[in-house]
Amino acid sequence: MRSRPIRRLTGAAVGVALTLALLTLAAVPAVAFDRATGQKVVLRLINDARADRGLHALRSCAALSGAARAHSVDMIRHDYFAHSSLSGAGVGRRARRAGYGVSGCSQWSVGEVIAWGSGVRGGPRAVFKAWMHSASHRSVILGRRWRDVGVGCARGTFQGIPGVVMYTVDVGRRAQ
């Protein structure tokens, strides 16, 4: 068996290789984004997972959907990722502000899961799969007490990465 000499790449060769790699990445088509479809897919995945476990389906709630969508837009617009907005508003305050009221309720509670991704990892199925592989996120999605849900997503540049899709799912229950 003959040994072959190890060849070292010159600076120019490294530059060419790096340029080719970047051009290859740039040539990958962007994943199409349709907010309404993405939100519907997430809702269907949530209710399918709940049905598979004998849980009741969550009903879409306009107020929670508005709160979820606004939070996703806010996180993209202001380049942060957190359950509390930059002003300190948590999911409860955001839900009330969007019209998910507490008046006349003997019990009122809300919960939230958030995620972001880009490319194939930013698709609704990939994000849902990641949530279901996380015990804390899965427990919110499959929580028995929830009755209402709102799903919101937004696309933009996040932390310098273009084409990021930000997802927020707000769940709630109001009991009279």
Side-chain angles (χ1 to χ4, degrees), residues 72-131:
S72 290
V73 167
D74 192 56
M75 288 189 290
I76 286 284
R77 185 172 291 147
H78 295 104
D79 208 33
Y80 73 96
F81 182 72
H83 289 286
S84 293
S85 69
L86 292 179
S87 67
V91 62
R93 189 180 328 162
R94 293 192 317 269
R96 282 190 299 274
R97 194 179 314 143
Y100 195 71
V102 298
S103 65
C105 297
S106 61
Q107 291 181 335
W108 185 90
S109 59
V110 292
E112 178 173 82
V113 294
I114 58 176
W116 68 272
S118 63
V120 295
R121 291 188 176 157
R125 286 173 185 80
V127 166
F128 182 77
K129 184 177 179 180
W131 280 331

Side-chain angles (χ1 to χ4, degrees), residues 75-77 79 155-164:
M75 288 189 290
I76 286 284
R77 185 172 291 147
D79 208 33
R155 183 172 188 245
T157 299
F158 175 65
Q159 296 184 351
I161 304 167
V164 166

Side-chain angles (χ1 to χ4, degrees), residues 47-64:
N47 279 330
D48 287 350
R50 293 177 66 83
D52 289 347
R53 291 158 177 86
L55 300 169
H56 62 273
L58 300 180
R59 61 182 171 251
S60 183
C61 171
L64 289 177

Side-chain angles (χ1 to χ4, degrees), residues 39 42-43 46 58 64-65 67-69 71-72 75 83 91 94 110-115 127-128 131 140-141 148-153 166-172:
Q39 292 170 173
V42 169
L43 178 58
I46 288 170
L58 300 180
L64 289 177
S65 294
R69 190 171 34 260
H71 190 54
S72 290
M75 288 189 290
H83 289 286
V91 62
R94 293 192 317 269
V110 292
E112 178 173 82
V113 294
I114 58 176
V127 166
F128 182 77
W131 280 331
V140 172
I141 290 168
D148 306 316
V149 65
V151 179
C153 59
M166 190 75 66
Y167 292 85
T168 303
V169 173
D170 289 340
V171 291

